[in-house]
Amino acid sequence: MTLQATYTSEKKIAESRFILPFMQNFYETFAQPLAFTAFRVAAGVMLMVEGYPKFLSPMAQVGFVESLGFHPGWLFSPMLAVMQFIGGFMIAVGLLTRPIALANGIMLLVTLWFHYTHPYGQAFLTPEGIAALKANGAVLFTPNGLMRLADGGHVFLEQVQSKAELASMFWAGAALFYAAFGGGAFSVDRALIKREF
């Protein structure tokens, strides 16, 4: 088979996978790169939002990171802040995307492990707190707030726990996706540096 025949055959196979073959160019040159970029920007911005308070107070997480076994805390707490905030920015713009996304993906897997092994608990309020709520709840809370705390906050904490686990799982997956595939067509890596890790 000649080179031209092989190319024509491969082109027909590629076109045949689409119900509307004339849309192939639109998908491959616009829709896919745009979607790839939009999700990368969302993942990076989410990390920036989560990392911003840590970046403002880089030593605030010393006790927390040490409780997870990361010593010394004075080193790992600022690293966490920089990784989330500056790393989130780098992912959003697509700069050194693979190594930064890998580091954040690992951090998010640790976060998922933490949420899974350290649940919020069964009740937000102690038995004394529930008694105080029954005695003074109408003064302290709105009617909707009072309903949420009537069981000690059990249902509310289950929802918070579930959201923490699912968010960590989703964003860890997003970071690891970009660690595997890089920043894509509309990234600093590809547009300016012309190289990727």
Side-chain angles (χ1 to χ4, degrees):
M1 186 180 277
T2 67
L3 185 58
Q4 179 62 32
T6 304
Y7 172 75
T8 304
S9 174
E10 287 177 5
K11 186 175 179 192
K12 284 183 181 179
I13 291 169
E15 287 178 356
S16 69
R17 66 175 212 195
F18 292 100
I19 293 172
L20 303 172
F22 63 88
M23 294 294 291
Q24 179 176 351
N25 193 43
F26 170 77
Y27 293 142
E28 291 176 353
T29 61
F30 179 74
Q32 290 172 356
L34 184 63
F36 197 85
T37 301
F39 189 46
R40 190 193 71 233
V41 170
V45 168
M46 182 282 307
L47 284 164
M48 290 177 69
V49 168
E50 288 291 317
Y52 184 68
K54 296 176 184 88
F55 196 72
L56 293 179
S57 302
M59 293 305 193
Q61 300 289 314
V62 169
F64 174 69
V65 295
E66 286 186 348
S67 76
L68 296 177
F70 293 94
H71 297 277
W74 59 263
L75 174 65
F76 283 100
S77 182
M79 279 178 57
L80 177 63
V82 168
M83 187 167 51
Q84 280 191 308
F85 188 71
I86 302 296
F89 174 77
M90 292 173 75
I91 290 171
V93 299
L95 176 62
L96 304 175
T97 309
R98 281 190 170 102
I100 300 297
L102 179 61
N104 274 285
I106 292 168
M107 179 267 306
L108 287 160
L109 288 174
V110 171
T111 303
L112 174 61
W113 168 83
F114 173 78
H115 285 304
Y116 186 74
T117 58
H118 297 79
Y120 288 108
Q122 293 296 316
F124 186 69
L125 297 174
T126 62
E128 294 81 9
I130 293 172
L133 179 67
K134 288 179 181 175
N136 301 307
V139 176
L140 300 172
F141 297 98
T142 64
N144 285 337
L146 199 56
M147 281 183 0
R148 283 190 205 101
L149 293 174
D151 66 348
H154 178 72
V155 172
F156 172 74
L157 286 177
E158 277 186 3
Q159 291 172 339
V160 171
Q161 179 70 31
S162 176
K163 286 184 180 183
E165 290 172 3
L166 291 174
S168 296
M169 187 183 309
F170 181 81
W171 292 115
L176 294 173
F177 175 86
Y178 287 101
F181 290 99
F186 304 129
S187 66
V188 172
D189 288 339
R190 206 172 290 176
L192 298 180
I193 300 173
K194 309 282 190 212
R195 301 183 76 151
E196 296 180 58
F197 274 88

